[in-house]
Amino acid sequence: MNARTRLLTAAMLFVAGVWATHSQAESGWSDEKIAELLSRMTLEEKALLTSGRDAWSTQPIERLDIPYIWMADGPHGLRRAPSTDTWGYGDQLPATCFPTASALAATWDTALIRDVGAALGHEAGALGVNMLLGPGVNIKRSPLGGRNFEYFSEDPYLSGKLGAAYIDGVQAQGVGTSLKHYVANNVETERMWANSAVDERTLNEIYFTPFEIAVREAQPWSVMACYNRVQGVYGTQSPDMLTRKLKQDWGFEGIVVSDWDAVIDRVEGIRAGMHLEMPGKPGHLTNQMVIDAVKSGELDEARLDSVVRDILRIVLRANAVAASPREQNLDEHHDFARKVASEAITLLKNDGPVLPLTGNDRRKIALIGEFAVNPRYQGNGSSEVRPPRVDNFMDIVGQEYGNDFVVEYAPGYSLADDVDFSMIEEAANLAAEADVALVLAGLPLQYESEGIDRLHIDLPPSHNRLIEAIAAKQPSTVVVLTNGSAVAMPWVDRVPAIVEAWLGGQAGAGAIADVVFGKVNPSGKLAETFPVRLEDTPAFLNFPAEDGEVIYGERIFVGYRWYDERKIAPLFPFGHGLSYTEFTYSDLGLSAERISDEDVLTVTVTVSNSGDTAGKEVVQLYVTDLAASVRRPEKELRGFHKVGLEPGEKRTVRFELSERDFAHYSTRHGRWIAESGDFRILVGASSRDIRLQQTVTLQSTQKVNYQFSEYSFFREFWSNPELQPLLIELVPKWLASQVSEGQPLEEAVIHDFIQDQPMIKFPYFTAGEIDADQVKAFIARCNGMTYTP
Ligand code: BGC
């Protein structure tokens, strides 16, 4: 079957509502097959294959029976266009809209996210999509990031682990993923060309890490290179990022796909390690550039061959997946989406406790907010899914709880006009007469979008004023928020209960009901810090960009690392989330008090459900380096487990820590280093609710080369017992002039002013005892030595 017949067949099967396959199962793949195909390809065909055919597919080459693959957004549902050459905005095929990534992250549940991935992969297969464009593991550097709803967390470890689980789930269905947007793509403003000016240590510890974890643990079929520049180089053209890090350091086996229209110089991209330009360009102009570059010798054909080989492997692999017909399972996935959304819901505050609302005494609930009838459930931009159905809270409450409660509704605000305050009074009066007020507030769709950063973290003025007015009249006010990232809550002290419901997908309304009415005990925890004010946030002074430069001035102190270091109290801290039950922590145990960096440290802790309701707790483990040679965050997340416990039940949770969990990235040495010294192991229920801690001593066995340059200070050598003798050998005469007659040279007291001078100046200070070459030789000699950090 050639590619065209395949498409036709697929279209016919869609109409019949059954799975249409890209089946070229007969096309199987092997290294021999790829080598054979490559040997038969012309230069023109090779160039064709390294650019898309159209909006969503790769170029099929019918002469050689090379099929294509179909890609689609991503990440929280399929945005599958009607055909590969149409964009699919508005006319995309119906697909389940799951909660967006910030909600998924709040579950802290890798098994659940793997299942979401499996459901997405399943639907992708049913819709004939071979590669899903997600997940997005960019770090939430500022709550203003326009795409924060599409990303998991401010923490690299959590983002990486959740990303890996998602990829595992999708790929187990024989559908590929595209891990995006690689890398340091943290502003939407000027996203096509802004330069992320991020220092090497920060890039490695914060921004590369989620990609590294996901690549090492889950091998996505592809990685999507970002639009922006990083340290001055476009993401699609950086050999450092695409070849050295991704391929050589992390062992990436897939292909690098450009973000849509991210390519500036295709030839440069291929040289750097990019594989596929997306989407295809009209007139094949960029293909011609590749052909010309090979002909002129500017691009080595062997390099192009290696790129083509990698693409063929993915294309053939995607098409070799067994063609098992499958339904999209929309009803089943709707129920699953509700379950996922309910696991994400994060109970921020519950004084009283006001929640859950239980009983069948027909208490009167004032249901307030247009979101109750017109829910907000996803973000704006390329990730927009067209769900087959969307639940609304009003209907769900009527259908499922109508016999137990009397519910009366007032809109309270208009989603079309966020400074229309005319509906507040009616809503406040309704609240005053009710037993409890349930206010559904949050961010309207236009507040959170790809391509635009937020300007502030406030709710619409009408929502804030409404909440104040309701709280003034009804002491039992519950605020339920719908938003994709952190918001300010000036009324936080005036309401007893706050529920963060995120962007919960098509079935999010049911999930809210499940938590509010106690069918589900909330277990979500914040994967991002909620600040009191925008001014408290890490990137406040440097967001978004200035003259095209995004200055990462907060360095490694992103998210809770910043609030800890600056001793700023957040509104709600990273990792926070309440339950309808209580958990107690006991018996923190370490497998050893002293370890080497080659050992695995096992940490165990017992968690008990000491309340009377079944519930789930996210147990979090953080590590503190107590004596680092560089400035390190007060604590860093290094493990988490979500455990479900019946009342009275207890469970021992186990973590394993190894070298990397203690390490920092040394810019000087260009590598991760776990230094000898004491580390504190903290276990708790949030980053600010540490319940137990213990100390372990690490002895490093790493051998690290000294790294000096001619600009290293005299002091660095003089104060080092291993290097001081070499310095004495280098400038004995000068040192002799610094001591009294007969005094040993190592006792010389060198003035601070001189100690702080770089070695390059010592030919002058020593009045010519050494020359510039001898300084260089001395540096080289020291650099050849190793030490244990
Ligand atoms: C977005 C990607 C998306 C792609 C295809 C780009 O503008 O940045 O996230 O996958 O478009 O829609």
Side-chain angles (χ1 to χ4, degrees):
M1 198 186 337
N2 69 25
R4 201 172 301 129
T5 11
R6 205 181 70 184
L7 182 59
L8 274 176
T9 314
M12 277 155 33
L13 288 172
F14 290 137
V15 173
V18 293
W19 188 56
T21 171
H22 270 191
S23 160
Q24 288 221 332
E26 70 276 12
S27 72
W29 67 284
S30 64
D31 288 344
E32 294 70 36
K33 163 120 189 163
I34 288 167
E36 190 250 337
L37 281 174
L38 187 65
S39 70
R40 290 167 59 205
M41 287 173 83
T42 63
L43 176 58
E44 286 68 20
E45 286 167 340
K46 291 176 191 171
L48 266 180
L49 196 69
T50 58
S51 178
R53 170 175 59 176
D54 49 25
W56 302 111
S57 64
T58 58
Q59 185 70 50
I61 298 176
E62 292 173 17
R63 183 182 78 85
L64 298 172
D65 215 14
I66 297 175
Y68 62 87
I69 56 171
W70 192 326
M71 293 166 259
D73 285 310
H76 58 270
L78 268 293
R79 186 168 69 81
R80 157 55 162 85
S83 57
T84 60
D85 60 356
T86 56
W87 287 104
Y89 281 107
D91 59 355
Q92 63 270 56
L93 304 192
T96 307
C97 179
F98 285 95
T100 74
S102 50
L104 294 181
T107 70
W108 292 62
D109 189 336
T110 48
L112 186 73
I113 291 175
R114 197 168 291 115
D115 289 346
V116 172
L120 291 169
H122 182 93
E123 286 200 32
L127 294 176
V129 168
N130 308 92
M131 195 188 281
L132 187 54
L133 304 178
V137 293
N138 295 97
I139 292 295
K140 300 184 195 196
R141 186 180 156 236
S142 163
L144 298 179
R147 289 184 96 165
N148 279 9
F149 66 87
E150 261 188 86
Y151 299 138
F152 291 119
S153 176
E154 67 190 23
D155 182 79
Y157 178 83
L158 182 58
S159 301
K161 288 286 181 186
L162 301 183
Y166 175 111
I167 293 166
D168 263 356
V170 175
Q171 294 192 171
Q173 299 292 311
V175 169
T177 54
S178 198
L179 181 65
K180 66 191 188 181
H181 308 85
Y182 184 62
V183 65
N185 179 196
N186 309 101
V187 293
E188 291 303 290
T189 314
E190 299 176 356
R191 68 171 169 154
M192 299 292 164
W193 72 291
N195 177 40
S196 297
V198 51
D199 69 273
E200 201 58 25
R201 178 173 168 208
T202 305
L203 185 58
N204 279 275
E205 288 191 19
I206 305 293
Y207 298 98
F208 274 143
T209 294
F211 288 93
E212 180 181 359
I213 293 174
V215 165
R216 285 189 193 273
E217 292 188 4
Q219 278 294 350
W221 289 13
S222 77
V223 165
M224 189 187 288
C226 61
Y227 288 120
N228 51 289
R229 287 169 291 154
V230 182
Q231 299 176 337
V233 185
Y234 279 103
T236 49
Q237 293 176 196
S238 165
D240 245 18
M241 280 161 45
L242 303 182
T243 300
R244 193 171 60 76
K245 275 288 164 199
L246 196 55
K247 231 178 159 97
Q248 293 166 356
D249 288 1
W250 307 340
F252 176 59
E253 292 163 6
I255 57 173
V256 175
V257 179
S258 77
D259 198 345
W260 267 231
D261 289 320
V263 174
I264 306 281
D265 183 332
R266 177 107 173 272
V267 173
E268 194 67 46
I270 291 178
R271 247 194 251 115
M274 190 194 67
H275 293 80
L276 180 64
E277 173 195 48
M278 284 304 291
K281 295 285 166 284
H284 296 305
L285 200 64
T286 61
N287 289 344
Q288 195 54 48
M289 288 174 181
V290 174
I291 295 166
D292 292 347
V294 171
K295 284 190 176 153
S296 70
E298 194 199 328
L299 175 65
D300 188 355
E301 188 161 2
R303 172 81 211 121
L304 179 63
D305 284 354
S306 132
V307 164
V308 169
R309 210 176 287 121
D310 290 342
I311 296 177
L312 282 174
R313 195 178 324 109
I314 294 295
V315 168
L316 298 188
R317 178 175 175 182
N319 281 275
V321 171
S324 59
R326 40 182 139 164
E327 302 271 357
Q328 225 175 318
N329 289 354
L330 291 175
D331 288 335
E332 201 184 292
H333 287 175
H334 181 85
D335 296 342
F336 179 50
R338 177 167 173 168
K339 174 181 156 53
V340 176
S342 73
E343 295 277 325
I345 288 180
T346 312
L347 181 61
L348 297 177
K349 181 174 180 184
N350 191 18
D351 290 352
V354 177
L355 290 174
L357 305 179
T358 48
N360 51 6
D361 48 0
R362 303 207 39 85
R363 261 193 297 165
K364 192 165 155 190
I365 297 177
L367 175 59
I368 293 158
E370 194 187 326
F371 278 149
V373 290
N374 193 2
R376 162 104 200 278
Y377 57 95
Q378 65 176 332
N380 218 3
S382 62
S383 67
E384 224 172 298
V385 178
R386 184 154 73 93
R389 65 196 240 221
V390 179
D391 287 343
N392 78 57
F393 191 73
M394 181 97 124
D395 290 347
I396 294 272
V397 173
Q399 286 154 16
E400 299 181 17
Y401 298 94
N403 292 334
D404 303 336
F405 297 91
V406 176
V407 179
E408 288 183 18
Y409 169 72
Y413 53 79
S414 154
L415 284 172
D417 178 356
D418 59 11
V419 288
D420 177 354
F421 305 114
S422 64
M423 282 159 272
I424 294 180
E425 197 182 335
E426 178 209 5
N429 290 338
L430 187 71
E433 287 158 19
D435 297 305
V436 52
L438 207 52
V439 187
L440 269 51
L443 299 179
L445 183 64
Q446 66 274 18
Y447 273 56
E448 289 176 292
S449 177
E450 175 177 342
I452 308 168
D453 290 306
R454 290 157 79 199
L455 297 174
H456 55 74
I457 55 169
D458 301 331
L459 294 179
S462 56
H463 293 222
N464 274 336
R465 217 189 273 183
L466 172 73
I467 295 168
E468 304 269 6
I470 304 287
K473 295 217 173 163
Q474 174 52 262
S476 293
T477 293
V478 177
V479 176
V480 179
L481 292 170
T482 300
N483 42 283
S485 62
V487 292
M489 303 178 201
W491 33 260
V492 64
D493 295 329
R494 289 192 281 287
V495 298
I498 305 171
V499 176
E500 176 53 73
W502 306 108
L503 302 181
Q506 67 184 58
I512 296 173
D514 291 340
V515 166
V516 164
F517 295 105
K519 201 189 262 176
V520 169
N521 186 354
S523 61
K525 299 258 189 180
L526 293 180
E528 59 198 274
T529 307
F530 275 42
V532 174
R533 324 171 295 158
L534 182 61
E535 290 82 348
D536 292 345
T537 61
F540 176 68
L541 294 176
N542 290 306
F543 196 92
E546 203 169 278
D547 292 334
E549 287 285 296
V550 185
I551 311 286
Y552 284 60
E554 70 286 356
R555 302 183 58 242
I556 51 174
F557 298 100
V558 178
Y560 62 91
R561 291 164 168 81
W562 170 263
Y563 296 87
D564 282 353
E565 199 73 7
R566 300 294 316 275
K567 311 253 177 287
I568 296 171
L571 178 62
F572 294 108
F574 177 82
H576 169 76
L578 303 173
S579 166
Y580 295 152
T581 188
E582 292 287 326
F583 298 100
T584 48
Y585 288 61
S586 61
D587 304 320
L588 177 62
L590 307 189
S591 56
E593 282 171 16
R594 305 182 70 81
I595 53 164
S596 93
D597 53 357
E598 290 170 344
D599 296 331
V600 170
L601 179 73
T602 304
V603 179
T604 48
V605 65
T606 302
V607 186
S608 336
N609 181 345
S610 40
D612 52 15
T613 313
K616 293 180 183 167
E617 172 68 323
V618 178
V619 185
Q620 301 160 42
L621 183 149
Y622 298 85
V623 173
T624 304
D625 188 343
L626 292 174
S629 67
V630 292
R631 190 163 187 157
R632 297 196 65 180
E634 189 179 302
K635 64 172 98 67
E636 296 185 274
L637 183 75
R638 292 292 187 250
F640 60 92
H641 280 299
K642 192 163 190 175
V643 275
L645 297 169
E646 292 299 317
E649 190 185 350
K650 61 176 156 184
R651 180 103 44 97
T652 297
V653 178
R654 188 186 153 94
F655 300 91
E656 289 193 340
L657 300 177
S658 48
E659 179 189 337
R660 178 68 178 266
D661 297 309
F662 300 98
H664 72 274
Y665 187 85
S666 163
T667 306
R668 183 169 191 168
H669 297 281
R671 57 180 280 185
W672 292 90
I673 292 185
E675 293 180 331
S676 300
D678 286 352
F679 291 81
R680 193 166 286 147
I681 310 299
L682 314 169
V683 175
S686 93
S687 65
R688 293 278 172 118
D689 184 7
I690 299 302
R691 305 284 179 91
L692 299 166
Q693 45 183 287
Q694 276 200 32
T695 301
V696 63
T697 305
L698 182 132
Q699 179 59 53
S700 182
T701 61
Q702 283 175 318
K703 295 280 180 248
V704 177
N705 272 332
Y706 282 113
Q707 282 304 316
F708 298 111
S709 78
E710 296 156 86
Y711 295 93
S712 299
F713 307 139
F714 182 92
R715 183 189 301 283
E716 295 185 61
F717 307 90
W718 188 245
S719 61
N720 183 320
E722 284 177 67
L723 303 177
Q724 196 191 48
L726 306 191
L727 202 51
I728 293 174
E729 246 181 68
L730 182 72
V731 285
K733 277 200 211 137
W734 178 72
L735 283 169
S737 70
Q738 307 294 311
V739 291
S740 356
E741 187 77 33
Q743 197 188 355
L745 297 186
E746 55 271 23
E747 285 179 13
V749 178
I750 314 286
H751 197 284
D752 280 348
F753 178 79
I754 296 290
Q755 290 229 38
D756 289 339
Q757 298 286 348
M759 288 305 293
I760 198 165
K761 292 189 190 170
F762 276 74
Y764 319 129
F765 290 129
T766 60
E769 182 181 358
I770 49 169
D771 60 20
D773 285 343
Q774 282 171 292
V775 171
K776 282 191 192 137
F778 169 74
I779 299 294
R781 187 176 176 199
C782 294
N783 282 346
M785 297 173 67
T786 57
Y787 72 101
T788 302

